[in-house]
Amino acid sequence: MEGLSPNHLKKAKLMFFYSRYPSSNMLKMFFSDVKFNRCITSQLIKWFSNFREFYYIQMEKFARQAINEGVTAADDINVSRDSELFRALNMHYNKANDFEVPERFLEVAQITMREFFNAIVGASVLTLTFPKSHL
DNA sequence: TTGCCTCCTG
DNA sequence: CAGGAGGCAA
């Protein structure tokens, strides 16, 4: 019925730093000590789905914050280990802070942030161009 | 139908 | 995070 321990959850979170969309096969390799069945697989996939939700919610949150703080160019957005965004994400996926988050994750997070920034700015431009009834 | 995903709740 | 609803592709 189960097979996934709290440690597996912690391990999954660390894996998230490397891939946001691990395939079921990748999961099977990463969790080679687990006897997979539909429930286990679904469980793990659900975890990553939840991880992504949190990730994207934070992205939108901080992208809007940057806009409100006056940032006008996506290129002015940078994500480093001392960024508020990173602190929020690290707190969520690496609570114990006993793992060194790969540099690659910072790069990806920054790219994501910029994409959200542009998407939000773009959307606001639309509402300004086509106000009220026209949308 | 099955599998995976997002969205929304609690 | 778990559950359930609902969309979508295989």
Side-chain angles (χ1 to χ4, degrees):
Chain A
M1 290 308 232
E2 277 192 298
L4 292 178
S5 67
N7 287 317
H8 286 120
L9 174 58
K10 179 181 293 184
K11 188 175 181 182
K13 289 187 173 184
L14 296 186
M15 182 183 183
F16 187 72
F17 281 120
Y18 294 92
S19 71
R20 267 55 69 195
Y21 281 89
S23 65
S24 59
N25 296 311
M26 295 168 79
L27 291 173
K28 290 179 180 177
M29 287 190 269
F30 198 74
F31 295 92
S32 57
D33 64 323
V34 177
K35 41 188 174 178
F36 280 73
N37 59 53
R38 295 186 190 67
C39 296
I40 297 297
T41 303
S42 296
Q43 171 67 299
L44 284 171
I45 288 180
K46 176 61 178 179
W47 280 355
F48 277 80
S49 180
N50 284 324
F51 295 164
R52 286 193 293 278
E53 267 198 294
F54 182 81
Y55 180 80
Y56 292 125
I57 288 175
Q58 297 308 304
M59 288 297 160
E60 183 177 349
K61 174 184 173 182
F62 286 100
R64 289 183 185 291
Q65 182 177 301
I67 291 174
N68 292 323
E69 295 180 334
V71 177
T72 57
D75 312 287
D76 293 332
I77 294 177
N78 292 301
V79 176
S80 60
R81 291 172 192 286
D82 52 277
S83 297
E84 290 181 56
L85 169 63
F86 178 74
R87 290 198 302 128
L89 296 175
N90 188 60
M91 171 75 93
H92 192 75
Y93 309 116
N94 183 34
K95 193 96 62 180
N97 198 47
D98 55 5
F99 173 74
E100 188 181 299
V101 179
E103 197 60 36
R104 174 56 179 157
F105 181 75
L106 279 295
E107 298 171 18
V108 174
Q110 178 165 290
I111 291 173
T112 306
M113 265 291 275
R114 294 181 174 181
E115 295 186 326
F116 265 74
F117 176 89
N118 288 323
I120 295 172
V121 172
S124 65
V125 169
L126 279 180
T127 62
L128 289 175
T129 305
F130 305 112
K132 33 202 167 182
S133 61
H134 296 297
L135 274 184

